Amino acid sequence: GENVEQHPSTLSVQEGDSAVIKCTYSDSASNYFPWYKQELGKGPQLIIDIRSNVGEKKDQRIAVTLNKTAKHFSLHITETQPEDSAVYFCAASITGNQFYFGTGTSLTVIP
Amino acid sequence: DSGVTQTPKHLITATGQRVTLRCSPRSGDLSVYWYQQSLDQGLQFLIQYYNGEERAKGNILERFSAQQFPDLHSELNLSSLELGDSALYFCASSASSGRRGDTQYFGPGTRLTVL
């Protein structure tokens, strides 16, 4: 099956700086890549997603880039705020319904 | 609030026992997905039901089973519980079968502790 690797596992940034989280996947048939944010005691929440026919997608301070050739995709958060502190998960899907998740990145934004 | 509800929030039981976790999807959603989140395995897909029928199967143990009822709520049954089954169990729902990568909305989870 698909294997998704995520780096870094922890990330600390100063408020206002940018944060970048990177994921690689193994199966070139993967075509859907969602990103989830999980706050303490809550379930994961979708923050942005991208499909394989698109190279980049942006939503306000959040952007995702996809490099199909290299089989990696990245989450970019600009102008970070303390409320961005959470665990972020990337995922890849071949079929559209079965997601393979990365191991998560714990982001801390220091005021 | 995602609109997905899960009960109970916490469950403490002993090895060898059987438990049932319940999930109600968002209004109008036809698919329900079950995930297990543990410290060593991360977030793992277990199984998906779409409109009452099993649609996809992931790393679900034979001791675990699930079903989706006509009112679309779902139950995950865990039997012969082992210490290693202690984890957070999430339910998610989506509008359709998920083939096009539908957004999955996650519930708050059930924390299972096996003693």
Side-chain angles (χ1 to χ4, degrees), chain A residues 5 12 18 22 24 26 37 51 66 70 72 75 78 88 100 103 109 111:
Chain A
E5 294 190 358
S12 291
S18 295
K22 299 182 179 182
T24 59
S26 61
K37 174 183 180 182
R51 299 179 191 278
L66 172 65
H72 70 69
L75 178 72
T78 59
Y88 291 80
Y100 296 88
T103 48
V109 179

Side-chain angles (χ1 to χ4, degrees), chain A residues 5-13 18-24 35-37 47 63-65 72-77 80 84 86-91 102-108:
Chain A
E5 294 190 358
Q6 183 172 346
H7 300 281
S9 56
T10 60
L11 180 60
S12 291
V13 299
S18 295
V20 180
I21 302 170
K22 299 182 179 182
C23 289
T24 59
W35 284 88
Y36 282 83
K37 174 183 180 182
I47 54 172
V64 57
T65 59
H72 70 69
F73 56 114
S74 300
L75 178 72
H76 304 253
I77 306 174
T80 53
D84 294 329
V87 178
Y88 291 80
F89 292 94
C90 63
T103 48
T105 296
S106 179
L107 172 66
T108 301

Side-chain angles (χ1 to χ4, degrees), chain A:
Chain A
E2 174 65 280
N3 181 47
V4 178
E5 294 190 358
Q6 183 172 346
H7 300 281
S9 56
T10 60
L11 180 60
S12 291
V13 299
Q14 292 288 333
E15 182 177 357
D17 287 350
S18 295
V20 180
I21 302 170
K22 299 182 179 182
C23 289
T24 59
Y25 59 99
S26 61
D27 196 325
S28 57
S30 287
N31 54 29
Y32 177 63
F33 306 91
W35 284 88
Y36 282 83
K37 174 183 180 182
Q38 186 174 19
E39 296 175 328
L40 200 60
K42 296 185 178 180
Q45 176 187 12
L46 179 75
I47 54 172
I48 196 166
D49 57 10
I50 192 167
R51 299 179 191 278
S52 58
N53 59 346
V54 174
E56 184 173 358
K57 185 176 178 181
K58 194 172 180 180
D59 182 5
Q60 298 183 342
R61 299 187 294 109
I62 294 173
V64 57
T65 59
L66 172 65
N67 183 326
K68 284 192 298 183
T69 304
K71 289 189 282 189
H72 70 69
F73 56 114
S74 300
L75 178 72
H76 304 253
I77 306 174
T78 59
E79 300 171 22
T80 53
Q81 301 166 4
E83 51 265 37
D84 294 329
S85 295
V87 178
Y88 291 80
F89 292 94
C90 63
S93 180
I94 300 168
T95 58
N97 52 359
Q98 186 165 348
F99 291 177
Y100 296 88
F101 281 87
T103 48
T105 296
S106 179
L107 172 66
T108 301
V109 179
I110 304 165

Side-chain angles (χ1 to χ4, degrees), chain B residues 6-11 20-22 109-111:
Chain B
Q6 289 187 249
T7 56
K9 292 191 85 162
H10 303 277
L11 200 48
T20 298
L21 282 51
R22 183 189 169 101
T110 293
R111 181 173 293 280

